[in-house]
Amino acid sequence: MFVLAHLSDPHLAPLPAASWGELVGKRLTGYVNWRRKRRFVHDPGTLAAIVADLKRQAPAHIAVTGDIANIALAAEFPLGRDWLARLGSARDITFVPGNHDIYVREAIKFAGRQWGAYMSDDDGLGGFPFVRHRGNVALIGLSTGVPTAPLLATGWLGANQLAEFAAVLNKLKSEDAFRVVLIHHPPVTAAPRHKRLLDAPVFKRVIAAHGAELLLHGHDHVHMINWLDGPNGTRVPAVGVPSASARHGTDKDSAAYNLYQIDGANGAWRCELISRGLDSSGAVVQQKRFMLVG
Ligand SMILES: [Fe+2]
Ligand SMILES: [Fe+2]
């Protein structure tokens, strides 16, 4: 059995000091939003409790689906690298970026430099999609992070990435791998259009044609399960987790993470989902447990 943990959207706090030169355009609106609202949601103590509980479960691998940063200040990237390093080695953790990581154009190079080891393939090469094999599990990392105008939180995969993604799914299917797709934005959501993955319809057509066994996402900061159409009448679970640093009592779900116990073989996979999160007393407890696949 392979145990995969999934956490997302840590939005590391506190925000490091920004230079005046950095606080222009989109970063300025993001900074105001952080000061007014988000800093009261994302709590370092909550994140530490979630990570400590996750480590006690000793998963074989941890998937982190984006939004380590908040407004992609240069100083947020080394802080993110240190947080990832405390979570585990780049061999044991796979990261895909979110819209808050690629908030502005220059963030692409910061993320590659500081976090590249966590978003590279089996040979250590970067670029999206990338694939990592861990036993009979294959992790496929996608990037929906593109710099956007102020007040937009949209995502975009693009035709090139989607074409490669289709080829990767096909190849991994022939290898009988349990394919886990890691993506920041959910392919199905009730969120308003300015927060959505804009090419989700194309993405869903790729999944419908080539299938996948499991899709993990963040971004909406709530527990979500949606079933996507796969080939030949199959269905693919798309599962989202709340922000791993969300205090109890805010307008989104409290901090949580999911564990996936993956077992079986192609044609007869089993995957049990165990959700653990913060309760009203501040303790991290099991909230749900059910068979997702099989
Ligand atoms: Fe987020
Ligand atoms: Fe996001």
Side-chain angles (χ1 to χ4, degrees):
M1 185 175 67
F2 187 91
V3 181
L4 174 66
H6 174 216
L7 72 80
S8 198
D9 297 76
H11 289 283
L12 297 184
L15 198 62
S19 70
W20 283 110
E22 285 182 301
L23 288 184
V24 292
K26 178 155 177 157
R27 278 204 188 109
L28 181 58
T29 51
Y31 182 76
V32 171
N33 193 18
W34 174 263
R35 296 290 307 168
R36 282 191 185 154
K37 287 195 286 194
R38 300 177 72 100
R39 72 189 169 110
F40 302 112
V41 174
H42 300 292
D43 170 43
T46 297
L47 179 61
I50 287 286
V51 168
D53 187 82
L54 186 155
K55 286 193 168 185
R56 278 194 291 275
Q57 310 303 318
H61 200 85
I62 305 172
V64 182
T65 50
D67 283 0
I68 287 179
N70 296 291
I71 56 173
L73 298 169
E76 289 188 84
F77 290 87
L79 289 174
R81 180 199 57 209
D82 294 348
W83 179 78
L84 281 167
R86 288 196 298 277
L87 193 60
S89 75
R91 214 206 115 64
D92 297 328
I93 293 169
T94 302
F95 173 74
V96 294
N99 54 304
H100 283 266
D101 303 311
I102 313 296
Y103 209 61
V104 292
R105 192 158 302 280
E106 62 181 338
I108 296 168
K109 89 173 173 272
F110 297 154
R113 215 176 279 155
Q114 301 283 357
W115 307 342
Y118 294 85
M119 38 184 190
S120 58
D121 69 10
D122 289 326
D123 299 319
L125 299 174
F128 299 95
F130 66 83
V131 179
R132 293 175 152 202
H133 292 83
R134 296 290 182 271
N136 52 8
V137 172
L139 300 149
I140 306 154
L142 298 174
S143 175
T144 59
V146 284
T148 59
L151 306 177
L152 292 184
T154 46
W156 181 254
L157 289 156
N160 289 347
Q161 188 176 190
L162 283 163
E164 263 193 72
F165 177 52
V168 160
L169 289 176
N170 230 357
K171 179 168 182 290
L172 292 171
K173 176 76 181 165
S174 69
E175 294 173 10
D176 297 341
F178 185 94
R179 298 164 296 177
V180 183
V181 179
L182 307 179
I183 183 170
H184 179 66
H185 287 78
V188 177
T189 179
R193 185 172 159 79
H194 71 276
K195 294 184 175 178
R196 291 186 184 187
L197 176 64
L198 295 180
D199 48 2
V202 191
F203 176 83
K204 284 186 279 189
R205 283 203 291 276
V206 171
I207 295 288
H210 303 284
E213 279 59 52
L214 177 62
L215 182 150
L216 306 180
H217 69 79
H219 188 61
D220 283 13
H221 296 194
V222 290
H223 286 288
M224 291 165 67
I225 297 187
N226 284 285
W227 292 85
L228 309 179
D229 291 333
N232 308 317
T234 57
R235 296 195 311 154
V236 179
V239 190
V241 282
S243 161
S245 61
R247 276 179 213 279
H248 189 75
T250 67
D251 62 342
K252 300 277 179 73
D253 289 343
S254 305
Y257 69 95
N258 288 339
L259 293 164
Y260 296 89
Q261 298 187 338
I262 300 164
D263 214 347
N266 193 25
W269 292 113
R270 287 186 304 279
C271 177
E272 188 165 16
L273 190 161
I274 298 160
S275 200
R276 296 182 64 83
L278 206 63
D279 70 7
S280 56
S281 75
V284 180
V285 298
Q286 183 175 307
Q287 296 172 326
K288 280 176 280 184
R289 180 174 193 147
F290 59 93
M291 198 57 84
L292 186 67
V293 177

